[in-house]
Every structure is written in C-alpha cells, then in structure tokens.
Amino acid sequence: MLDTTELTAAVDRLADRLRAAPQSRLQRGAAAAGLALARDLAVRAQRLEAPDAPPRTMPDAGVFSVADQLMVAGNDLAEILRTAPAGSLPERELDEAVAAVRRAAATATL
C-alpha cells in the first residue's frame, strides 16, 4: 500500500485556505484555480480507475463549494493510489499530484 499522507495533507491545507478566503478573493481567481486543480485531480483519479472510459468534468458548483470539491477529488485520488496494485506506477502519479497541489498553493492569491 502506498502512503498518500503527503497528498491528503497538501490538499487539506489548500482547501482550508480556500474556505478561509473572503468572497472577493475567491471571485478574483482563487476559486477558479482551486476548481482547475480539483478537476485535474479528478481526471487523474478517473484515468487510474477506468483508463478506457472518457473522463467526466467536475461541474462548477460556485466559489463557496470549491474547497469541498478539492477535498473530494484529492481524497478520491489518494484512495485510488493507496490501493493501486503493485507495479502500476502509482508512485509517479502520486508525486505528480503532490507537485500540482503545491504549485497551486504557491501561486494561489489567498
């Protein structure tokens, strides 16, 4: 089993920052960046779980929902990676997902 603590911790921190952000900051781009990251993580999870199916796009549920959407997508991906069969290269996918969350957190206008 792969340890996905680093991914879930990074997602938790960014989601907390999004929840604490004022509406004006969310509307100036923080929510859009958070949704883009949530969509990216969701697509990664879908490709691992069902590689032959076309990925579905996470809907835009509004600026106040983006933190929850990020948490769901991040935790879904973490669980899929944690339970992935050995030899399926989940370590690389985990590293890429953690890097994506860290980049988003570093560039977020929160």
Side-chain angles (χ1 to χ4, degrees):
M1 287 193 150
L2 189 61
D3 181 8
T4 58
T5 305
E6 190 176 9
L7 175 59
T8 56
V11 167
D12 286 347
R13 282 190 300 274
L14 183 54
D16 286 345
R17 289 176 58 196
L18 286 165
R19 283 188 189 100
Q23 180 177 357
S24 60
R25 193 147 300 153
L26 291 170
Q27 290 173 329
R28 282 194 304 254
L35 179 59
L37 176 61
R39 285 176 171 168
D40 176 60
L41 297 178
V43 167
R44 290 172 187 269
Q46 290 175 55
R47 286 193 176 135
L48 288 170
E49 197 168 44
D52 296 329
R56 297 170 308 280
T57 301
M58 181 178 283
D60 183 346
V63 297
F64 297 116
S65 299
V66 71
D68 292 333
Q69 289 178 291
L70 179 59
M71 287 292 299
V72 168
N75 285 309
D76 282 353
L77 178 58
E79 183 62 17
I80 290 165
L81 291 170
R82 190 182 67 75
T83 59
S88 62
L89 299 175
E91 295 88 3
R92 184 182 61 123
E93 186 67 40
L94 176 61
D95 292 343
E96 290 174 5
V98 169
V101 175
R102 287 185 176 156
R103 275 192 307 276
T107 60
T109 56
L110 299 171

